[in-house]
Amino acid sequence: MDKKQEAVKEGKMDKVINLCLRRGILFPSNEIYGSTSGFFDYGPVGVELKKNLEKSWWKYIVNDRENVVGIDGALINVSKVWKASGHVDSFNDPLVECKKCHLRFRADSLIEEELKISMDGVGVKQLQELIDKHKIKCPKCGGEFTEVQVFNLMFKTHVGAIEDEASLMYLRPETAQLIFTDFKRVLATSRKKLPFGIAQIGKAFRNEISPRNFVFRSREFNQMELEFFINPEKMNDVEIKKDDLNLESFFYTQEMQENNKNHERMNFEKALKEGIIGTKWHAYWMIEFFKWFKSIGIKTENMRFRQHVKTELSHYSSETWDLDYNYPWGWKEMEGIANRTDYDLKQHSKFSGVDLSFFDEKEKKKIVPFVIEPSTGVERTILTVLIDAYTERDDERIFLDLNPIIAPVKLAVLPLMPKEELEKKALEVFNGLKKEVVCDYDANGSIGKRYSRFDEIGTPFAITIDYQTIEDDTVTLRYRNDMNQERVKISDLKAKLSELM
Ligand code: ATP
C-alpha cells in the first residue's frame, strides 16, 4: 500500500468515528461528566444496529439449528469460577509504566506502534528485550519505562456487606465460562446429545490497559459465543458441503508467520487436506462464520484466517484461528475460533466437585467432550461493519452500504415538503407499512438533507410522497447506493419491499 492509500485508510477511521457521534450510533459513556475511556453508549440508531446484528447471529447459530440452544448467564460470578478457568492466574497483559509521568501502556501495543511490527505471540521476556534494544521511551514525556510486568484484566467486586476473601467476586471477562458452569443443567433440561452447542450473547468486562481504536478495544463490551461440544474421538465426524469446502479465503498459518511469509489464498478443502486446519469440526465452524460475516455484508477480500503461533496459544487451547479483518491500522482479530479441548469442563469438575461429563447411552460410557468455541465481539463486529460499509463518492456523498438485514432503518418515509396534505398522506403510508418493515418518518428540513441523513445511517430505501401521490396514489422509491428512483403504487409497496429485502 502506498503512502496516499495509507492516508486514505487512516482518514476512514476518523470519518467512521465522526459518523458514529454525528448520527447517534455509538459515543463515549457518561460524556457530560467527562468519560472514562473504554466505555460506550449506543444511541437510537446504534441500538437498532446492535439488535439486528445480534438477531442475525442468534437466528443463524441457535434458531436455525436443531443442535444448538441458548442461555443468558449472570455477569458477576464467584471467584472459584475464574480460578478454575485459569483467568485469576493467567488472564494478563504485559504492562510498562513511565518512571517520569507514571502513564501506563500495554507493552506489546506500544512496541507495535513504535516499530510497526506485529507482536502477536511475543512473550514478556522478548518484549523487554525489544524495549531495551530499540530504547523505546514514553511517547508522552520521553521518560524511561519500568520493567515489563503482567497485569490481570479482571474487574473485582465484593458482594454483601463484608469485604473479604469470601465475598470476592469477578465481573465476567468472557461469557464462555457460564456455559461450562451451566453445562449439567442445560444438558438435563434440553436433552441434547453430542455433538451439540450452547450459545450466549451478553456483556463481558476487561480492565484493558490501553483501550483504543474507538470500540475495537473497550473495557465493557458484548460477546456472542458458542461452545460446541463434541466427542473427542469424533472430531472429524461431520459432513461439510462441497460448495462450502470450495470457498476461498486468505490463510496465515503458523509456518507462514514463523518464516515471515505472506498469507495465501486457498480453499477450505486444501486447508483440511494438507492438515493446515487440525480437525473437520474446527473447519466446519470456521466456514460457518466466514459465511455469516459475508451474509452481514463484510467483503471477503478484507477477511483472513490467522492461526495462533505456539507461544500465543491460550492455556486451554490446542488450536486457535483468528478471523482477522483488514482494519485501517492493519490485520487484527475480529473473531477467535478455538479448540478448547476438554480443559474447561475438567477444571470445573475438579474445582466444584460436580461431575461435568456426558453419559453416552449408545457407547455406555462417560465422555468429557471437546469444545470448539467461536467467539465474537458485538462492538468489534459493528465497527468492522461500519468501516466496511462506509462509502464516499466523488461528489462527497457519504453513505453506509449496509446489508438491509442489519440496517437500523430499512425504509425512510418522507413528504417532499412540509405541507399539511403531503404530511397527512405520508403518515398514512408510514402507518400502513410500519408493521411490515422498520421505517422512520421525517418531515423536517430539505428533502436533500433528509436523504443524506438516511444515507449516512445506511437506510437502503426511501419513499417520497409528493403532489402526484395525492392524484394517483404512487410514490417515488429511491435506492440508497445509486440514487435511482422509480414510481411505485402504494398498494404494491409491501410486495415490492419484501422482494427487495
Ligand atoms: P485481543 O487479542 O484483540 O485482545 P482476545 O484474543 O483477547 O482479543 P478473545 O478473548 O478471543 O479476544 O475474545 C473474543 C472476541 O471478543 C474477540 O475476537 C473480540 O471480537 C472481542 N473482544 C475481546 N476483547 C475485547 C475488547 N476489549 N473490546 C471489544 N471487543 C473485545
Side-chain angles (χ1 to χ4, degrees):
M1 195 189 299
D2 66 21
K3 279 241 144 53
K4 199 173 159 213
Q5 280 171 314
E6 229 166 67
V8 170
K9 249 185 134 189
E10 274 166 23
K12 191 171 190 181
M13 183 63 180
D14 286 340
K15 288 173 183 169
V16 167
I17 297 175
N18 202 299
L19 182 75
C20 283
L21 305 179
R22 190 167 74 236
R23 295 294 177 202
I25 301 174
L26 275 154
F27 37 82
S29 189
N30 302 162
E31 237 176 342
I32 58 167
Y33 290 105
S35 314
T36 303
S37 54
F39 297 92
F40 294 88
D41 290 346
Y42 286 92
V45 171
V47 77
E48 296 293 336
L49 181 57
K50 173 174 182 277
K51 279 183 197 293
N52 292 345
L53 189 88
E54 291 177 349
K55 210 163 121 192
S56 155
W57 189 96
W58 195 261
K59 178 165 165 22
Y60 186 71
I61 294 302
V62 183
N63 300 146
D64 287 356
R65 294 169 204 266
E66 87 297 341
N67 59 356
V68 180
V69 292
I71 64 158
D72 189 1
L75 306 188
I76 299 178
N77 318 118
V78 293
S79 56
K80 259 191 156 181
V81 170
W82 303 104
K83 188 76 193 153
S85 68
H87 284 76
V88 172
D89 295 324
S90 53
F91 194 54
N92 303 319
D93 271 346
L95 169 91
V96 284
E97 184 175 321
C98 171
K99 287 182 187 165
K100 219 161 116 191
C101 72
H102 300 290
L103 263 185
R104 291 178 158 200
F105 297 86
R106 195 172 139 172
D108 51 348
S109 312
L110 180 81
I111 301 171
E112 270 187 1
E113 248 158 56
E114 287 286 319
L115 306 182
K116 307 275 176 251
I117 47 171
S118 166
M119 288 289 108
D120 288 329
V122 177
V124 168
K125 195 165 158 257
Q126 281 167 288
L127 293 173
Q128 187 63 58
E129 282 166 9
L130 283 167
I131 291 178
D132 295 342
K133 183 173 164 206
H134 296 277
K135 299 189 171 41
I136 297 176
K137 300 268 162 40
C138 172
K140 174 107 186 290
C141 74
E144 281 194 8
F145 285 120
T146 56
E147 299 272 295
V148 181
Q149 319 151 35
V150 288
F151 175 77
N152 192 283
L153 298 185
M154 280 195 296
F155 284 101
K156 291 177 186 170
T157 188
H158 288 271
V159 173
I162 301 166
E163 278 198 19
D164 62 5
E165 224 14 63
S167 66
L168 174 67
M169 291 180 80
Y170 290 97
L171 272 74
R172 64 184 192 189
E174 61 175 27
T175 64
Q177 293 308 318
L178 279 290
I179 294 177
F180 301 123
T181 56
D182 289 353
F183 180 73
K184 201 177 157 86
R185 196 172 275 281
V186 175
L187 203 57
T189 51
S190 68
R191 304 169 56 79
K192 294 286 169 200
K193 302 259 175 297
L194 292 180
F196 81 99
I198 307 178
Q200 182 174 202
I201 298 180
K203 289 257 169 168
F205 304 85
R206 296 184 185 181
N207 195 4
E208 298 280 357
I209 299 165
S210 22
R212 59 184 55 217
N213 291 326
F214 198 48
V215 294
F216 179 84
R217 186 173 303 291
S218 2
R219 289 178 164 135
E220 178 179 335
F221 55 99
N222 289 276
Q223 287 186 314
M224 306 182 279
E225 294 197 302
L226 165 69
E227 308 301 318
F228 196 77
F229 300 94
I230 307 153
N231 181 336
E233 285 163 20
K234 298 187 178 171
M235 292 300 288
N236 291 309
D237 273 17
V238 52
E239 250 341 285
I240 306 179
K241 286 190 204 126
K242 188 80 191 133
D243 284 355
D244 288 348
L245 286 169
N246 284 339
L247 288 172
E248 283 193 354
S249 178
F250 294 118
F251 283 84
Y252 197 29
T253 64
Q254 282 181 352
E255 188 267 326
M256 291 170 195
Q257 293 166 72
E258 280 154 9
N259 295 305
N260 288 324
K261 293 186 196 158
N262 276 334
H263 55 229
E264 268 177 38
R265 204 180 167 85
M266 67 179 94
N267 66 22
F268 285 89
E269 182 159 35
K270 181 171 178 208
L272 260 170
K273 241 189 209 148
E274 297 190 359
I276 289 171
I277 305 173
T279 65
K280 254 178 130 180
W281 268 116
H282 209 138
Y284 173 85
W285 284 112
M286 287 165 71
I287 294 170
E288 288 302 278
F289 275 94
F290 184 63
K291 289 196 299 186
W292 180 71
F293 279 106
K294 250 175 88 174
S295 80
I296 58 164
I298 308 246
K299 296 174 193 77
T300 48
E301 69 267 25
N302 289 332
M303 293 194 269
R304 79 161 179 202
F305 286 98
R306 185 185 72 83
Q307 187 173 26
H308 278 204
V309 294
K310 290 191 185 81
T311 48
E312 175 189 11
L313 276 175
S314 304
H315 56 279
Y316 52 75
S317 170
S318 64
E319 177 180 357
T320 295
W321 288 88
D322 284 349
L323 180 45
D324 283 353
Y325 179 83
N326 191 8
Y327 291 99
W329 59 95
W331 289 94
K332 284 283 165 201
E333 171 180 348
M334 172 167 70
E335 172 183 66
I337 305 172
N339 181 341
R340 292 185 83 120
T341 67
D342 51 11
Y343 181 86
D344 304 272
L345 289 176
K346 280 193 168 156
Q347 282 293 101
H348 287 299
S349 293
K350 190 168 131 199
F351 276 71
S352 67
V354 177
D355 179 8
L356 295 179
S357 60
F358 170 85
F359 185 75
D360 193 308
E361 304 276 355
K362 249 201 227 148
E363 299 187 22
K364 297 269 174 283
K365 64 172 185 187
K366 279 185 180 176
I367 295 168
V368 183
F370 268 29
V371 175
I372 299 290
E373 174 198 70
S375 170
T376 318
V378 173
E379 287 71 18
R380 206 174 276 191
T381 306
I382 287 178
L383 180 65
T384 312
V385 164
L386 294 176
I387 291 172
D388 214 70
Y390 185 92
T391 313
E392 254 179 19
R393 287 276 150 87
D394 297 340
D395 52 7
E396 295 195 349
R397 196 169 80 86
I398 295 168
F399 64 91
L400 286 182
D401 185 9
L402 288 185
N403 186 319
I405 299 174
I406 56 166
V409 177
K410 320 289 183 203
L411 176 74
V413 181
L414 314 167
L416 183 65
M417 286 175 283
K419 291 275 188 265
E420 205 184 327
E421 64 266 54
L422 295 184
E423 288 190 36
K424 192 169 160 247
K425 186 77 186 166
L427 275 171
E428 219 177 82
V429 176
F430 173 79
N431 287 326
L433 288 171
K434 69 183 182 199
K435 286 214 173 78
E436 309 293 322
V437 54
V438 179
C439 42
D440 194 5
Y441 171 84
D442 188 357
N444 295 322
S446 76
I447 189 74
K449 282 219 170 95
R450 280 180 281 155
Y451 280 147
S452 51
R453 177 181 156 243
F454 283 105
D455 285 348
E456 285 195 10
I457 61 167
T459 307
F461 313 108
I463 52 175
T464 311
I465 285 80
D466 52 22
Y467 284 106
Q468 194 182 327
T469 314
I470 290 165
E471 279 163 27
D472 65 4
D473 266 340
T474 63
V475 294
T476 51
L477 172 64
R478 174 188 180 270
Y479 296 85
R480 175 196 62 207
N481 288 15
D482 55 16
M483 297 189 294
N484 278 343
Q485 301 196 0
E486 62 174 307
R487 210 78 206 170
V488 181
K489 277 194 179 153
I490 292 175
S491 54
D492 292 344
L493 270 174
K494 276 183 199 165
K496 178 85 188 172
L497 288 165
S498 90
E499 181 195 312
L500 286 169
M501 267 180 286

